[in-house]
Amino acid sequence: TCSTPDIIVGTGQFAFDGRWNTSSGFDGGAPDACAPIPDAGAPMQDYFLRWTATSSGDYEIVACFSTTSFNGQSVSVYDGAGCSATCMLNVRGCEFNITNASGGDSYLLQVGHFYSGENLGPQGTVTITPLSQIAANDNCAAPEPISGTGTFAIGGGTTSYFSGGNPAQCGAMPPGDVFFAWTPLVTGDYAFDKCPSSMGAMGIYEGSDCDAVCIGEGVVDHCGIQPRRVLRNAQAGTTYLLQVPGSSGFNPTFQIDL
């Protein structure tokens, strides 16, 4: 409940398990601002965590869980430590930023869902990372625009759990993924590589933001060792969202060839 949240401090990854939770009805006195759907009430089968920042700055918080689909997740954020905390925002999804936090500030996080047909409550992890350590294209809402063929630098991101509404086909989330809005200049078949480290899974979506639709997922080349990930008949002028594993500290490159 809001009166007995899990206590988490600083940065890192923290697990939570509320699979058997009931719905608390807590909305911080703001049923519209902190409800996943206006007039629909507070998140259901909710789980509470109290996060305290240990240093001042801006933070990305990813509070994703595995027991409901991506579109059913909801996180409400409150300024304060308990049931007297006041509503700041609600996210239909699991990724958001808290800016201008001061060391010692506490925030109440309420993770839940808004599907009445769900049988289980949330279970998953909360990952808290200073924004200064995250690539600008960490979020599907802000992909880096690229075009044509060539070599592109990759920064480090956090795992977004984005699957384009199709977790069965595009649900093998790359770790620490970053996003590119890629537009081919010539219609044809394209291959993708990442060096010097293994690419792992990669998501390909038609569209340029978080509304993009999954069209393919797979393993791509590790500098000539594994079969290359190929997108066939990519259309010139069409924008594709590429979800690529990020790599902090390795200065890797991402290669697109026709």
Side-chain angles (χ1 to χ4, degrees), residues 19-194:
R19 284 175 292 176
W20 315 115
N21 281 18
T22 57
S23 302
S24 73
F26 179 75
D27 59 18
D32 289 335
C34 270
I37 303 174
D39 301 321
M44 293 180 282
Q45 293 180 283
D46 43 348
Y47 192 96
F48 291 89
L49 305 100
R50 188 184 81 188
W51 172 63
T52 301
T54 54
S55 59
S56 300
D58 302 332
Y59 295 86
E60 179 185 69
I61 299 181
V62 180
C64 293
F65 47 93
S66 57
T67 52
T68 62
S69 66
F70 178 85
N71 289 325
Q73 298 186 46
S74 171
V75 183
S76 293
V77 185
Y78 304 86
D79 187 4
C83 298
S84 61
T86 56
C87 172
M88 293 175 57
L89 61 93
N90 173 269
V91 178
R92 291 181 63 181
C94 61
E95 188 172 343
F96 59 94
N97 297 336
I98 291 180
T99 58
N100 299 317
S102 297
D105 284 356
S106 290
Y107 301 89
L108 187 68
L109 312 180
Q110 179 188 25
V111 293
H113 64 83
F114 51 91
Y115 282 166
S116 59
E118 290 290 349
N119 295 319
L120 294 174
Q123 178 190 30
T125 58
V126 176
T127 303
I128 302 174
T129 310
L131 282 178
S132 60
Q133 299 179 11
I134 299 172
N137 59 333
D138 173 62
N139 195 305
C140 58
E144 178 182 338
I146 58 175
S147 62
T149 58
T151 301
F152 308 92
I154 304 173
T158 59
T159 304
S160 71
Y161 296 87
F162 178 75
S163 66
N166 188 348
Q169 185 176 3
C170 280
M173 290 81 69
D177 49 352
V178 292
F179 294 87
F180 295 86
W182 170 63
T183 305
L185 302 179
V186 178
T187 297
D189 300 340
Y190 289 82
F192 304 90
D193 299 86
K194 176 185 173 186

Side-chain angles (χ1 to χ4, degrees), residues 160-237:
S160 71
Y161 296 87
F162 178 75
S163 66
N166 188 348
Q169 185 176 3
C170 280
M173 290 81 69
D177 49 352
V178 292
F179 294 87
F180 295 86
W182 170 63
T183 305
L185 302 179
V186 178
T187 297
D189 300 340
Y190 289 82
F192 304 90
D193 299 86
K194 176 185 173 186
C195 290
S197 57
S198 175
M199 174 71 92
M202 170 186 173
I204 302 177
Y205 308 85
E206 188 167 351
S208 60
D209 54 25
C210 298
D211 292 327
V213 178
C214 169
I215 58 174
E217 171 275 319
V219 174
V220 297
D221 190 48
H222 176 194
C223 304
I225 297 175
Q226 296 172 339
R228 306 177 98 192
R229 181 71 177 98
V230 176
L231 176 61
R232 301 195 180 280
N233 197 32
Q235 297 296 302

